[in-house]
Amino acid sequence: MTQGAFTSANIVSVLNRVADDLEGHSEELRQLDAVIGDGDLGITTQLGSKAMREYLASVNESNIGQMLARCGMSINKASPSTFGTLLASAFMGAGKAVSGKENLDKDDLIAMADGAIDGIKKRGKAELGDKTMLDCLVPAVEAFKGEIKQGSDLKKALEAAVTAAEQGLKSTVNMISKHGRASWHREKTIGVQDAGATAMYYIIESFARHLPE
C-alpha cells in the first residue's frame, strides 16, 4: 500500500456504499431492536443513511477530516436517537483524528478508527463488555492494527477486522445490556444479539468490502 492511497473522492464513494448497505438491513435491525429495545433502529438507520447520501451528494471537500465530521453532524441532525448520536460521534471522532488530511494511508485509517472509538466512548459512556456497538468495533480495530503491525497488506488486515467484528458481535449474545432502553431488561437481554453492534458490523463489513485495494 502506498502513502496517500485514498483521496476524499475514494472515501465519499465508500461511504455512499456503506449508507446503501446499512439501509438495506434496516428491517432486520428494526426487528432485532424490537426484542429488547423500542424497535426504532430501523428508522434510525434509514434516516442516517439518507442523511449521509444527501450530504455526500453535494460535498466538495478535499479535507477528509472535515468531510467526516460534517457527515457525522448530518447524521446527528437527521436521526438524533441513541444510535444516531453515537454513530455521529464516531464520524466526528474519526474526522478529528485526520483533520486537514487530503489523502489517507493505513496509519490514518488506524487514527480514524481510534478516533471513532473515542467519540463513542465519550458520548455514550460505555466500555467494552457493556453490550454495545463497541463490542464489535473495538475487536475489529485491534485486529486491523495487529495485522498492520505484523506487516500484512491492507486486504488481509481488513479481512481480519471483519472476522473480529463478527466474533465481537456474536459475543454480545451472552452479555447483559447496560445502556439505553435495553438496560431496563437486564438479565432478559442475555441470549439476544445487540442491535447496535449488529448495525456496526454491517458498517465495518461494508467499509472493508468497498475500500479500494
Side-chain angles (χ1 to χ4, degrees):
M1 181 178 177
T2 58
Q3 292 291 318
F6 305 114
T7 64
S8 59
N10 294 143
I11 302 303
V12 167
S13 177
V14 172
L15 292 180
N16 268 309
R17 294 184 179 187
V18 168
D20 288 342
D21 289 343
L22 182 61
E23 186 171 15
H25 291 287
S26 60
E27 177 56 23
E28 173 193 346
L29 293 169
R30 182 197 68 77
Q31 293 180 14
L32 186 59
D33 188 40
V35 177
I36 55 175
D38 54 13
D40 71 345
L41 187 55
I43 294 296
T44 293
T45 51
Q46 286 179 329
L47 293 174
S49 297
K50 181 181 178 182
M52 286 175 64
R53 286 194 300 268
E54 288 179 348
Y55 168 71
L56 295 170
S58 59
V59 68
N60 182 21
E61 179 62 73
S62 60
N63 182 335
I64 297 173
Q66 188 162 299
M67 182 263 289
L68 289 170
R70 288 179 174 173
C71 191
M73 288 186 279
S74 297
I75 294 170
N76 193 51
K77 183 178 179 180
S79 183
S81 64
T82 299
F83 181 84
T85 299
L86 292 177
L87 183 59
S89 297
F91 269 86
M92 288 186 275
K96 183 178 180 181
V98 292
S99 180
K101 294 275 188 175
E102 296 187 358
N103 296 280
L104 302 181
D105 59 22
K106 61 182 182 297
D107 292 328
D108 294 319
L109 293 179
I110 290 173
M112 280 172 54
D114 283 339
I117 291 172
D118 288 343
I120 292 170
K121 284 184 174 181
K122 288 177 181 177
R123 186 70 179 187
K125 310 302 181 185
E127 295 293 338
L128 196 65
D130 286 354
K131 195 164 184 158
T132 70
M133 63 176 72
L134 288 175
D135 294 300
C136 176
L137 179 58
V138 172
V141 174
E142 291 305 309
F144 184 82
K145 287 181 181 178
E147 291 294 333
I148 295 298
K149 186 175 181 179
Q150 292 175 23
S152 299
D153 60 23
L154 182 63
K155 181 179 180 180
K156 185 175 180 180
L158 290 171
E159 288 173 348
V162 173
T163 297
E166 183 176 14
Q167 292 171 345
L169 170 60
K170 291 178 179 178
S171 75
T172 66
V173 172
N174 296 319
M175 295 177 183
I176 295 176
S177 295
K178 298 180 181 179
H179 297 274
R181 191 179 293 268
S183 66
W184 299 356
H185 300 280
R186 299 297 295 175
E187 283 74 15
K188 291 182 180 179
T189 63
I190 298 175
V192 180
Q193 183 172 290
D194 183 66
T198 304
M200 179 55 69
Y201 170 76
Y202 288 133
I203 292 171
I204 293 169
E205 189 280 329
S206 180
F207 186 89
R209 177 159 41 92
H210 294 302
L211 196 67
E213 298 180 14

